[in-house]
Amino acid sequence: MNFERIREKLNILADAAKYDVSCASSGSDRTNKSQGLGNASKMGICHSYTEDGRCISLLKILLTNHCIFDCAYCVTRKSNDVQRAAFKIQEVVDLTINFYRRNYIEGLFLSSGIFKDADYTMERLVAVAKKLREEENFNGYIHLKSIPGASDELMYEAGLYADRLSVNIEVPTISGLKLLAPDKKHEDFTKPMLKVKNEIVRYKAERKIIKSTPKYAPAGQSTQMIVGASGETDKDIMYSAVHYYKNYQMRRVYYSGYVPVADDMRLPAIGSKVPMLRENRLYQTDWLLRFYGFAINEILNKEHPNLDMDVDPKLSWALRNLHHFPVDVNSADRTLLARIPGIGMRSVDKILKARRFRRLNWDHLKKIGVALNRAQYFMVCDSRHWERRDLDAEKIKGMILQTSSGKFWNQYSTQLSLFN
């Protein structure tokens, strides 16, 4: 093995993979059997920190950055003048095993540019996972990126070896895809998604009858959308996300702020600011839809096609719907409690348990973890303080902003001068 050449390939193909953010994982419970190597049991593997503080990592690389397509937003587009490289199948297998044994990683995230055609590329990705599972007895986490346009047969096989599969939808709308990636078709993305969804459903049904049925993509599938490349509104992006959650049973939809990588009249100029705050607001909206019981048209609609940048989407909704407030925390149901700004779902559960024993006041709510700098304007409790306030939405917003801080604070701090 030429170690210098492998190192060079690794530098090139790991750097090219950094633009894909959909490598977080959850839901896999692949256990180690027969003294195999690795274990992805019930912990998930991602570029993140677990609840007990452990850093979970995986080898995140492309099989190759050669590509037959010329997507305007992609750093590996065929017309882009970048250094190219490609791993052999065995090289990826050896890297994964050697890195795992040195405790560098706990799994593999493998994507690829498309060389020759979709099936040829997908076949090589599947071959890597198959070798790891069957020849190396590797039971660690494997996330494979599905290649748009790959055949059903290859997608089926991929799900037998990978814990999670994902197809990046890339551009949120069909019109945007036609503009920025005219060589690609929307159905090339949705076809493998549908295959994976159907197989997951089928295998789950069979496991209820035959317990020995093997698991198929136990961590589900995910996708990623680029934010800020093609002019879509937040409404366009989130309605698209809801469509994929509903129709393809996505485990996660990821939102990636576009990083300008090439000069193109269709794209933001190189040096433009990456829309990190907008990306953050989209994730917050996604969370509200998945866990807080909000409907998409409550947050984004024709009157409000874009999210507020100065306040989070839950607070923005509350300010537009003051007629729902104040909510009595000592009597409201779970759904209403979850809609109070400053109260997360863990706090909701704590409130429901605590009020079985006594009526709650502000001190109790503070100890529970409620963010009173926001919540106080939208609820009442067993106290006379703050119960009567004749404030409109703008006054409440200004008072909250004056007592708030966060990682994006400098991006909207100039707006606070309006309230001084």
Side-chain angles (χ1 to χ4, degrees):
M1 181 183 291
N2 187 333
F3 291 103
E4 288 301 319
R5 180 54 182 158
I6 294 295
R7 181 182 300 176
E8 182 183 7
K9 289 182 182 181
L10 188 59
N11 287 335
I12 295 170
L13 298 174
D15 183 71
K18 67 184 180 183
Y19 298 101
D20 196 324
V21 301
S22 61
C23 58
S25 61
S26 62
S28 178
D29 58 354
R30 187 185 299 274
T31 54
N32 195 330
K33 299 178 181 178
S34 304
Q35 298 182 340
L37 184 66
N39 194 326
S41 176
K42 299 183 188 298
M43 63 180 181
I45 300 172
C46 56
H47 286 297
S48 182
Y49 288 91
T50 59
E51 290 183 353
D52 61 0
R54 290 178 297 114
C55 180
I56 304 299
S57 59
L58 43 76
L59 176 60
K60 182 182 178 184
I61 56 174
L62 299 184
L63 186 62
T64 181
N65 63 346
H66 291 277
C67 194
I68 62 175
F69 292 117
D70 200 28
C71 306
Y73 48 79
C74 185
V75 69
T76 61
R77 58 190 288 189
K78 66 180 182 181
S79 63
N80 203 17
D81 185 18
V82 295
Q83 193 173 8
R84 307 284 178 172
F87 279 121
K88 297 177 181 178
I89 292 172
Q90 191 60 46
E91 288 174 341
V92 177
V93 172
D94 292 341
L95 277 173
T96 303
I97 297 302
N98 287 326
F99 277 23
Y100 183 88
R101 284 178 171 152
R102 288 168 173 77
N103 202 29
Y104 294 162
I105 61 168
E106 294 178 82
L108 171 67
F109 176 91
L110 184 61
S111 183
S112 183
I114 302 174
F115 50 170
K116 291 192 177 180
D117 56 50
D119 278 353
Y120 181 83
T121 307
M122 192 69 211
E123 187 176 13
R124 295 174 70 83
L125 294 176
V126 172
V128 171
K130 186 174 182 178
K131 273 180 170 286
L132 284 168
R133 296 293 191 213
E134 295 188 348
E135 296 181 17
E136 301 293 343
N137 202 10
F138 180 72
N139 291 287
Y141 187 85
I142 297 178
H143 183 156
L144 291 183
K145 294 309 295 285
S146 307
I147 303 301
S151 68
D152 285 351
E153 292 77 14
L154 285 169
M155 292 307 305
Y156 170 75
E157 191 176 9
L160 296 176
Y161 300 111
D163 293 279
R164 173 167 286 187
L165 297 169
S166 58
V167 181
N168 284 357
I169 199 66
E170 299 171 352
V171 183
T173 63
I174 295 176
S175 59
L177 184 68
K178 289 180 179 179
L179 174 67
L180 300 180
D183 297 333
K184 291 183 177 178
K185 298 178 181 178
H186 184 256
E187 53 268 27
D188 289 340
F189 297 92
T190 57
K191 182 172 175 278
M193 286 181 183
L194 185 61
K195 176 62 176 178
V196 173
K197 172 207 164 183
N198 291 339
E199 291 298 334
I200 289 174
V201 171
R202 182 170 72 87
Y203 268 72
K204 283 183 177 179
E206 289 183 1
R207 281 181 66 83
K208 292 179 181 178
I209 303 172
I210 306 172
K211 297 300 182 182
S212 60
T213 300
K215 295 177 181 178
Y216 184 89
Q221 63 176 329
S222 61
T223 191
Q224 173 179 308
M225 299 182 189
I226 299 172
V227 176
S230 48
E232 289 87 359
T233 64
D234 295 333
K235 175 176 171 287
D236 296 329
I237 294 170
M238 291 311 305
Y239 272 71
S240 181
V242 168
H243 169 77
Y244 289 108
Y245 276 126
K246 180 180 179 180
N247 295 290
Y248 299 96
Q249 297 183 7
M250 288 291 160
R251 186 67 63 88
R252 286 292 305 274
V253 175
Y254 293 87
Y255 311 93
S256 176
Y258 174 66
V259 179
V261 294
D263 286 315
D264 194 300
M265 294 296 293
R266 298 167 290 177
L267 293 167
I270 290 181
S272 299
K273 194 172 185 179
V274 178
M276 293 299 295
L277 177 54
R278 185 183 180 194
E279 178 185 312
N280 184 58
R281 293 287 182 244
L282 290 169
Y283 276 115
Q284 290 173 328
T285 304
D286 186 285
W287 214 253
L288 294 180
L289 298 176
R290 294 166 61 212
F291 301 111
Y292 284 75
F294 280 84
I296 182 61
N297 61 346
E298 293 182 281
I299 303 173
L300 292 163
N301 46 54
K302 290 181 179 180
E303 290 74 29
H304 302 281
N306 288 300
L307 298 167
D308 290 335
M309 290 296 103
D310 49 353
V311 295
D312 66 80
K314 187 178 179 183
L315 176 55
S316 177
W317 174 85
L319 292 172
R320 300 197 307 265
N321 294 274
L322 289 178
H323 57 280
H324 290 298
F325 302 99
V327 171
D328 188 343
V329 294
N330 286 298
S331 61
D333 62 19
R334 181 183 177 87
T335 301
L336 284 176
L337 289 175
R339 293 188 171 230
I340 301 174
I343 297 185
M345 294 310 299
R346 288 187 181 180
S347 294
V348 168
D349 291 335
K350 290 179 181 179
I351 289 171
L352 292 173
K353 291 178 181 178
R355 74 186 191 187
R356 292 161 53 193
F357 303 98
R358 65 160 300 156
R359 289 182 61 80
L360 304 178
N361 59 33
W362 297 111
D363 288 335
H364 299 140
L365 294 170
K366 185 176 181 179
K367 290 177 181 178
I368 283 174
V370 174
L372 292 180
N373 68 317
R374 283 172 284 164
Q376 61 179 297
Y377 303 104
F378 303 95
M379 66 183 187
V380 292
C381 60
D382 191 28
S383 174
R384 293 183 179 179
H385 296 290
W386 298 318
E387 289 184 5
R388 300 292 180 185
R389 280 182 176 262
D390 185 19
L391 299 173
D392 60 24
E394 284 302 314
K395 289 180 180 178
I396 294 174
K397 181 177 179 179
M399 296 175 73
I400 292 174
L401 287 175
Q402 286 180 324
T403 58
S404 298
S405 61
K407 61 182 179 180
F408 298 111
W409 181 248
N410 61 333
Q411 297 190 29
Y412 57 81
S413 59
T414 54
Q415 295 167 339
L416 292 180
S417 62
L418 300 174
F419 303 102
N420 292 334

